[in-house]
Amino acid sequence: MDTSTALRTNGAARDFTDDVVPRATIHDLLDDARFAPSGGNRQPWRVAVVEDRAIRRRIGDLMQPVWDGYIARGRLGVTPYNVVDDVEPDDVPHATNALVDGIEDVPVVLAVAADLRRIAMMDSAVGRPPVTGGASIYPFCWSILLAARARGLGGVLTTFLSRAEPAAAPELGLPEHHALVATIFLGVPRRQVTKLRREPVESFTTVDRFDGPAFSG
Ligand SMILES: Cc1cc2nc3c(=O)[nH]c(=O)nc-3n(C[C@H](O)[C@H](O)[C@H](O)COP(=O)(O)O)c2cc1C
């Protein structure tokens, strides 16, 4: 598969067959993903391949209330947990999440952490929550998903466990000064979505300034 096709068709997969993904395959896709860029090439990533069913259940239990809150906030018309205009819902009912319910049986669960001592957080002092540090870790995460696709696997990057980081940290042995940045689920997808809904270039690209004229190729 050429790179452009891979980029345009790597849809999120959350439903997997029972096919076992051998450890050797997990190793191989991490071996590809390690070539991802990071600030200063400091490669701040750590990965825990979470195999233990009891640990999986416990982190699933930590994800569930975050998911409930995500859905409840979404119903109120905001981007859940955004740092600008998030709202606190009065009622947070249980919201079913098949991935969480079946976390013990997902073929591969990867917890990804980032060593904050190895990340130059360039926007840490501009008066809003910093985001640039993510750029040293999420290309690695995305590369895992692309490397998985190259092997006939599919998956999804999730961040709901990050909201429960203080409780998840002891379950996963998260080292000091590390952030829990993602939980990645992988397997052989029952259905690989390849026709993705994304906004066109013209909708987000302008010339010279963000308030400049629309860019067209
Ligand atoms: C930063 C980030 C966080 C995400 N968190 C979750 C999550 O918590 N749960 C989940 O099911 N999917 C999660 N996703 C997957 C997105 O929902 C998915 O990439 C998006 O809806 C596009 O889906 P598509 O590729 O099928 O079009 C996340 C994706 C990203 C990049």
Side-chain angles (χ1 to χ4, degrees), residues 142-217:
W142 180 234
S143 293
I144 291 175
L145 289 165
L146 287 172
R149 182 85 200 286
R151 290 167 176 78
L153 304 175
V156 63
L157 183 162
T158 71
T159 50
F160 36 18
L161 192 60
S162 300
R163 197 160 177 92
E165 182 184 291
E171 300 294 349
L172 292 168
L174 186 71
E176 198 183 6
H177 304 305
H178 282 60
L180 191 54
V181 297
T183 313
I184 299 177
F185 299 88
L186 301 170
V188 176
R190 282 193 200 280
R191 198 172 54 95
Q192 177 68 60
V193 178
T194 55
K195 207 166 163 31
L196 309 183
R197 284 187 301 118
R198 301 290 190 267
E199 298 300 323
V201 172
E202 293 69 25
S203 72
F204 58 82
T205 314
T206 48
V207 178
D208 290 333
R209 295 167 46 96
F210 297 110
D211 58 0
F215 174 85
S216 61

Side-chain angles (χ1 to χ4, degrees), residues 94-107:
H94 175 82
T96 303
N97 184 305
L99 207 49
V100 172
D101 288 346
I103 191 167
E104 291 98 329
D105 298 315
V106 174

Side-chain angles (χ1 to χ4, degrees), residues 12-212:
R14 301 181 180 84
D15 187 18
F16 307 106
T17 68
D18 295 333
D19 290 67
V20 171
V21 179
R23 273 189 171 191
T25 303
I26 300 171
H27 180 277
D28 286 353
L29 58 90
L30 292 171
D31 197 32
D32 282 353
R34 71 192 170 92
F35 291 94
S38 58
N41 197 21
R42 291 187 191 89
Q43 305 165 50
W45 41 80
R46 289 285 303 270
V47 178
V49 182
V50 185
E51 297 179 333
D52 186 275
R53 291 176 72 86
I55 297 176
R56 284 183 174 205
R57 184 67 266 146
R58 287 198 292 274
I59 63 174
D61 288 347
L62 292 171
M63 290 171 181
Q64 184 62 54
V66 180
W67 180 249
D68 296 342
Y70 185 93
I71 296 298
R73 285 167 168 80
R75 287 210 183 97
L76 297 175
V78 294
T79 296
Y81 304 124
N82 86 81
V83 294
V84 179
D85 61 0
D86 192 22
V87 287
E88 196 65 47
D90 293 331
D91 186 30
V92 183
H94 175 82
T96 303
N97 184 305
L99 207 49
V100 172
D101 288 346
I103 191 167
E104 291 98 329
D105 298 315
V106 174
V108 180
V109 178
L110 303 178
V112 183
D115 184 346
L116 295 173
R117 292 164 301 190
R118 294 200 205 181
I119 293 179
M121 197 73 74
M122 303 306 273
D123 55 349
S124 59
V126 300
R128 55 156 176 75
V131 294
T132 55
S136 279
I137 191 75
Y138 291 114
F140 171 75
C141 294
W142 180 234
S143 293
I144 291 175
L145 289 165
L146 287 172
R149 182 85 200 286
R151 290 167 176 78
L153 304 175
V156 63
L157 183 162
T158 71
T159 50
F160 36 18
L161 192 60
S162 300
R163 197 160 177 92
E165 182 184 291
E171 300 294 349
L172 292 168
L174 186 71
E176 198 183 6
H177 304 305
H178 282 60
L180 191 54
V181 297
T183 313
I184 299 177
F185 299 88
L186 301 170
V188 176
R190 282 193 200 280
R191 198 172 54 95
Q192 177 68 60
V193 178
T194 55
K195 207 166 163 31
L196 309 183
R197 284 187 301 118
R198 301 290 190 267
E199 298 300 323
V201 172
E202 293 69 25
S203 72
F204 58 82
T205 314
T206 48
V207 178
D208 290 333
R209 295 167 46 96
F210 297 110
D211 58 0

